[in-house]
């Protein structure tokens, strides 16, 4: 069974930290995508697709800070990944397993993100002509 690359592990922890810093009850796909903008494997794909990283980060931060107030809970200890977040990681894991590779990377998670069509994370990527 494949495992997570060290970079992806750090990105998953970073996504949870981003949610915790904002007192969000849940870590969403937007937290995950923001974390992936610092993941070397995901960055390779984003760069190859000519994504403007500064603009993407700005859009994600603005969304998380201004539009996600419904996620704020004062007495939350640790944010929990949403079902969508968990599905993305599970899809990436299954894809890597079926291809016979050993590690799930940030690039795999980024590709799996596109299965979650009804998310602002995918919307922000599509705004930059990434499909």
């Amino acid at each position: 069974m494949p495992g997570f690359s060290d970079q992806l592990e750090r990105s998953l922890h970073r996504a949870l930290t981003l949610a915790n810093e904002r007192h969000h009850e849940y870590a969403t796909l937007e937290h995950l995508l923001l974390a992936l903008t610092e993941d070397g494997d995901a960055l390779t794909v984003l760069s190859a697709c000519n994504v403007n990283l500064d603009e993407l980060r700005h859009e994600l931060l603005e969304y998380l800070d201004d539009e996600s107030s419904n996620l704020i809970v004062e007495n939350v200890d640790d944010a929990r990944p949403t079902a969508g977040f968990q599905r993305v990681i599970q899809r990436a894991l299954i894809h890597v397993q079926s291809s016979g590779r050993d590690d799930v990377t940030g690039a795999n998670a980024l590709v799996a993100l596109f299965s979650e069509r009804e998310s602002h994370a995918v919307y922000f990527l599509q705004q930059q002509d990434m499909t």
Side-chain angles (χ1 to χ4, degrees), residues 32-113:
L32 176 59
L33 180 55
L34 184 57
L36 288 173
T37 65
E38 297 180 29
D39 181 291
D41 296 313
L43 279 172
T44 300
V45 174
L46 292 166
S47 296
C49 293
N50 296 317
V51 169
N52 180 329
L53 290 170
D54 290 335
E55 183 178 325
L56 178 61
R57 286 183 186 118
H58 173 78
E59 292 289 330
L60 287 164
L61 286 168
E62 188 173 281
Y63 176 79
L64 289 171
D65 291 338
D66 298 341
E67 306 293 325
S68 299
S69 60
N70 60 323
L71 296 174
I72 296 174
V73 176
E74 288 306 318
N75 297 325
V76 68
D77 289 329
D78 287 314
R80 297 183 315 243
T82 61
F85 187 118
Q86 292 176 21
R87 282 192 303 268
V88 164
I89 300 306
Q90 185 175 17
R91 267 191 219 99
L93 184 64
I94 290 168
H95 175 75
V96 168
Q97 186 175 16
S98 68
S99 68
R101 290 180 298 197
D102 294 329
D103 284 335
V104 182
T105 68
N108 301 122
L110 186 62
V111 170
L113 190 68

